[in-house]
Amino acid sequence: MQVLQVQLEVGADPAEVGRARRWARSRLAGSGMDDDSLAETLVLLISELVTNAVVHTGCPAVLRMLFGSAESAGTVRVEVADTSCRPPRPRHAEGEDTGGRGLELVDGLADRWGWQPEGAGKRIWCEIDRGVPVQPPAVLGERSGSRGEQPGALGGARL
């Protein structure tokens, strides 16, 4: 299977998150991905990971997407690398909190996710298996799988 990797450098400005979403939508459409639900889930995951990198580290980041051809089933991987050595810190939002849901969304929507050190910084990643129905956010926590249990993940902790 041929894998296509595309990447975007993202500045340390929260306005860059919108640019990353637009870029991701155009790359996903150009990849021949015809599953709108999968594409929108990937854009949401990208938005959350880029937001975490830009807002919580104040550092520039690099967004990468890796996926196979439209004819092949397989895994779509999203990676965001930044120059902060601080590991991602899961939080749990309460009630009307305006933050603290990002990694919880990633955990609920991705099939797998984790992070690892990279140079002086880190890379956080998530994967979705193509051809597997994506559960809507309303059923977070009801899906089983290996999310957050990969080596380098956040201690295998459920969010």
Side-chain angles (χ1 to χ4, degrees), residues 45-59:
L45 290 167
I46 287 165
S47 183
E48 293 301 329
L49 294 181
V50 170
T51 297
N52 283 351
V54 171
V55 172
H56 296 296
T57 71
C59 299

Side-chain angles (χ1 to χ4, degrees), residues 5 27 44 73 88 124:
Q5 175 178 322
R27 295 311 177 274
L44 177 58
I124 188 166

Side-chain angles (χ1 to χ4, degrees), residues 5 21 29 32 34 50 52-53 58 60 69 79 81 95 108-109 112 124 126-128 138 143 147-148 156 158:
Q5 175 178 322
R21 280 192 300 266
D34 57 356
V50 170
N52 283 351
S69 64
E79 302 175 347
L109 295 174
R112 290 164 297 285
I124 188 166
C126 64
E127 295 177 338
I128 292 184
R143 293 174 49 208
R147 295 176 309 275
R158 297 289 301 160

Side-chain angles (χ1 to χ4, degrees), residues 19-118:
R19 186 173 75 91
R21 280 192 300 266
R22 290 187 299 277
W23 177 86
R25 278 194 180 94
S26 70
R27 295 311 177 274
L28 290 167
S31 75
M33 188 172 297
D34 57 356
D35 183 341
D36 289 338
S37 174
L38 177 63
E40 286 304 310
T41 298
L42 285 165
V43 169
L44 177 58
L45 290 167
I46 287 165
S47 183
E48 293 301 329
L49 294 181
V50 170
T51 297
N52 283 351
V54 171
V55 172
H56 296 296
T57 71
C59 299
V62 175
L63 164 62
R64 294 181 194 101
M65 291 191 300
L66 301 93
F67 44 95
S69 64
E71 296 81 33
S72 66
T75 299
V76 180
R77 183 176 176 107
V78 172
E79 302 175 347
V80 176
D82 63 52
T83 57
S84 169
C85 64
R86 288 185 314 174
R89 190 176 59 110
R91 300 180 335 186
H92 180 72
E94 299 289 336
E96 301 298 316
D97 291 351
T98 59
R101 292 177 178 84
L103 290 177
E104 191 170 19
L105 280 170
V106 171
D107 186 59
L109 295 174
D111 291 305
R112 290 164 297 285
W113 72 278
W115 72 279
Q116 67 250 13
E118 180 174 280

